[in-house]
Amino acid sequence: TSTAAELNILDGVTSTAAELNILDGKSFVDEDDMSSNSATAIASQQSVKKYVDDSVASAASKGFAIAAAIVFG
């Protein structure tokens, strides 16, 4: 649970309309494979992490397969 101070941390913070509209027309997506290939959507942190983790795992397994083929013929 949060304390009152934690819940009110932004109390008194103001923003202009221009600041609030910085993401106007943009959307957030949660897709681990980045399948939409959108030039305007914003990927979630979890989506980016999953995509990178999968890419690294895939590259590592391919690298291992190539190294094994070279070593073991």
Side-chain angles (χ1 to χ4, degrees):
T1 60
S2 299
T3 66
E6 291 170 331
L7 294 173
N8 292 321
I9 195 165
L10 296 177
D11 188 34
V13 173
T14 59
S15 296
T16 65
E19 291 169 334
L20 294 173
N21 287 329
I22 194 167
L23 298 177
D24 187 37
K26 307 292 188 276
S27 62
F28 285 93
V29 292
D30 187 20
E31 50 186 29
D32 296 342
D33 59 0
M34 305 293 175
S35 59
S36 71
N37 198 24
S38 173
T40 59
I42 302 166
S44 69
Q45 180 270 336
Q46 291 87 354
S47 294
V48 172
K49 183 179 184 320
K50 175 71 171 148
Y51 180 80
V52 170
D53 287 349
D54 288 352
S55 297
V56 169
S58 176
S61 67
K62 289 177 184 172
F64 178 76
I66 292 170
I70 292 170
V71 171
F72 300 111

